[in-house]
Amino acid sequence: MDLAYLWFWIVGFLFVGYFVLDGFDFGVGMSLPFLGKDDISRRQIINTIGPVWDLNETWVIVAGACLFAAFPEWYATLFSGFYLALLLILLTLILRGVSFEYRHQRDSLRWKRGFDTMIVIGSAVPALLWGVAFANIVQGVPIDADHEFTGSLLTLLNPYGLLGGLTTLLLFFTHGVYFVALKTDGPVHEDARRLARRAGLVTVVVAAAFLIWTIFIAAGHGAPLMALVVGGAALAAVCLVMSLVFNLRDREGWAFGFGAATIVTAVLTLWFALYPNVMPSSTDPAYSLTIENASSTDYTLTIMTWAAVIFLPLVLAYQAWTYWIFRKRVSRSRIEKAAASVAH
């Protein structure tokens, strides 16, 4: 396989990893107003992602770096055209990270609620805007003959883009609530299961509409991997329904696993629909960025491939080891004991 095509799939793999892992981070953050009935509950929810949220975000940094090195034309057009949307994502991610670190610095309830609000905003905005961005990449955006984006932020806020944003928002929310149910005990655990049941039904409807629309867009573009687009969308739908079924049966581990599989297959469906373009032009298909005209030289891609062969397994092993170390549930009683010892 040509290295440029190989790197198209590697970049896709990195974004799949990012959306699966940071996706439940976003969902956990967004669930605070629904599940955090008191400060102990909110601490219990936040502690489920405390050891891993920053590790999960390294995936988007690696994905961005690989995009820059392997497809500089794609990176330049994407980051200049989607500048405001990506800046909003960056600012809200910083807001969320700061809030995790600072909310424990004072005992004031008002102080903590302020940072909790920022965690919710810092989770919901990226979850929405990532979907808007990727939906527009698949649908196509106005690009001229010099491969420069000629639209604005409002260009991205079209019906399909907004539906993509709403889909990722709901998918990540449900995925995060599954994770809270998996990692907690007591009232938060029970409330999370009930919330996932309600959120999951809405997610099924919205995600189905988005995936069907994606199939029609891919057909309109004459996507060569049309069978995989349809198969990926169908598999995503089955996985989402299965996650709801296992949640109903109190099997939160399986529910979370199928929730993750839903995101994997949904993102792959978008990647199949995009191939062999990386950024279709809605102005003129001849101006589209493709894998071949947007990629780096073979020499650059060869060096990157060797670096990936050496370091990617190490990164995956470290991530797996971290999750194994912090695999236990976050119990309410332990947080209450810690709070009581501090009070005395």
Side-chain angles (χ1 to χ4, degrees), residues 174-339:
T174 305
H175 189 40
V177 175
Y178 286 149
F179 188 72
V180 173
L182 177 66
K183 291 286 292 180
T184 59
D185 63 1
V188 171
H189 170 80
E190 296 301 326
D191 290 346
R193 284 190 48 249
R194 281 192 288 271
L195 181 59
R197 203 177 306 155
R198 295 196 297 270
L201 293 174
V202 180
T203 305
V204 167
V205 175
V206 174
F210 176 69
L211 289 171
I212 291 170
W213 198 339
T214 300
I215 291 171
F216 280 108
I217 286 176
H221 288 171
L225 302 181
M226 202 58 217
L228 290 175
V229 175
V230 176
L235 196 56
V238 170
C239 289
L240 183 56
V241 171
M242 290 302 294
S243 72
L244 292 178
V245 170
F246 279 109
N247 181 62
L248 285 172
R249 295 184 175 183
D250 300 343
R251 304 291 296 273
E252 55 266 23
W254 283 97
F256 177 73
F258 274 103
T262 304
I263 296 174
V264 170
T265 47
V267 178
L268 282 177
T269 300
L270 297 181
W271 229 248
F272 293 144
L274 191 59
Y275 180 90
N277 295 311
V278 294
M279 216 161 169
S281 171
S282 58
T283 306
D284 186 334
Y287 302 156
S288 296
L289 283 167
T290 66
I291 295 174
E292 293 193 356
N293 70 19
S295 63
S296 293
T297 63
D298 280 344
Y299 180 71
T300 301
L301 295 175
T302 300
I303 294 174
M304 290 178 63
T305 303
W306 279 110
V309 167
I310 296 170
F311 293 109
L312 192 56
L314 296 177
V315 172
L316 294 175
Y318 177 72
Q319 186 118 33
W321 178 74
T322 303
Y323 275 90
W324 175 255
I325 293 296
F326 296 103
R327 66 187 181 281
K328 292 184 179 177
R329 288 183 188 269
V330 179
S331 69
R332 183 179 178 90
S333 60
R334 179 173 295 182
I335 295 175
E336 287 173 337
K337 287 178 184 175

Side-chain angles (χ1 to χ4, degrees), residues 17-326:
Y18 172 64
F19 287 135
V20 169
L21 296 173
D22 223 17
F24 73 73
D25 283 358
F26 293 147
V28 170
M30 287 187 282
S31 73
L32 276 177
F34 303 94
L35 302 175
K37 294 177 179 175
D38 54 28
D39 187 55
I40 297 294
S41 299
R42 289 190 286 275
R43 285 177 61 182
Q44 192 179 9
I45 295 165
I46 291 171
N47 285 357
T48 61
I49 56 172
V52 296
W53 70 268
D54 49 353
L55 181 64
N56 294 341
E57 288 189 355
T58 58
W59 283 75
V60 73
I61 296 171
V62 176
C66 290
L67 194 63
F68 171 76
F71 298 99
E73 285 276 357
W74 184 8
Y75 181 92
T77 303
L78 177 65
F79 277 74
S80 59
F82 292 18
Y83 178 77
L84 282 177
L86 294 174
L87 181 63
L88 272 175
I89 290 174
L90 178 62
L91 290 176
T92 48
L93 287 178
I94 293 172
L95 194 71
R96 190 175 69 127
V98 168
S99 301
F100 284 138
E101 301 297 329
Y102 277 80
R103 82 174 297 278
H104 306 295
Q105 300 302 318
R106 287 188 187 175
D107 287 332
S108 163
L109 196 58
R110 186 178 177 184
W111 170 276
K112 291 180 178 178
R113 283 193 178 278
F115 283 111
D116 288 346
T117 301
M118 290 198 285
I119 289 172
V120 175
I121 295 171
S123 302
V125 172
L128 176 74
L129 290 182
W130 277 124
V132 171
F134 272 77
N136 275 283
I137 291 172
V138 172
Q139 177 179 241
V141 290
I143 299 174
D144 64 16
D146 295 324
H147 294 157
E148 291 184 1
F149 179 76
T150 57
S152 65
L153 178 63
L154 292 179
T155 307
L156 305 179
L157 303 180
N158 54 74
Y160 178 70
L162 291 172
L163 181 60
L166 185 59
T167 301
T168 50
L169 184 81
L170 290 170
L171 266 181
F172 294 163
F173 180 78
T174 305
H175 189 40
V177 175
Y178 286 149
F179 188 72
V180 173
L182 177 66
K183 291 286 292 180
T184 59
D185 63 1
V188 171
H189 170 80
E190 296 301 326
D191 290 346
R193 284 190 48 249
R194 281 192 288 271
L195 181 59
R197 203 177 306 155
R198 295 196 297 270
L201 293 174
V202 180
T203 305
V204 167
V205 175
V206 174
F210 176 69
L211 289 171
I212 291 170
W213 198 339
T214 300
I215 291 171
F216 280 108
I217 286 176
H221 288 171
L225 302 181
M226 202 58 217
L228 290 175
V229 175
V230 176
L235 196 56
V238 170
C239 289
L240 183 56
V241 171
M242 290 302 294
S243 72
L244 292 178
V245 170
F246 279 109
N247 181 62
L248 285 172
R249 295 184 175 183
D250 300 343
R251 304 291 296 273
E252 55 266 23
W254 283 97
F256 177 73
F258 274 103
T262 304
I263 296 174
V264 170
T265 47
V267 178
L268 282 177
T269 300
L270 297 181
W271 229 248
F272 293 144
L274 191 59
Y275 180 90
N277 295 311
V278 294
M279 216 161 169
S281 171
S282 58
T283 306
D284 186 334
Y287 302 156
S288 296
L289 283 167
T290 66
I291 295 174
E292 293 193 356
N293 70 19
S295 63
S296 293
T297 63
D298 280 344
Y299 180 71
T300 301
L301 295 175
T302 300
I303 294 174
M304 290 178 63
T305 303
W306 279 110
V309 167
I310 296 170
F311 293 109
L312 192 56
L314 296 177
V315 172
L316 294 175
Y318 177 72
Q319 186 118 33
W321 178 74
T322 303
Y323 275 90
W324 175 255
I325 293 296
F326 296 103

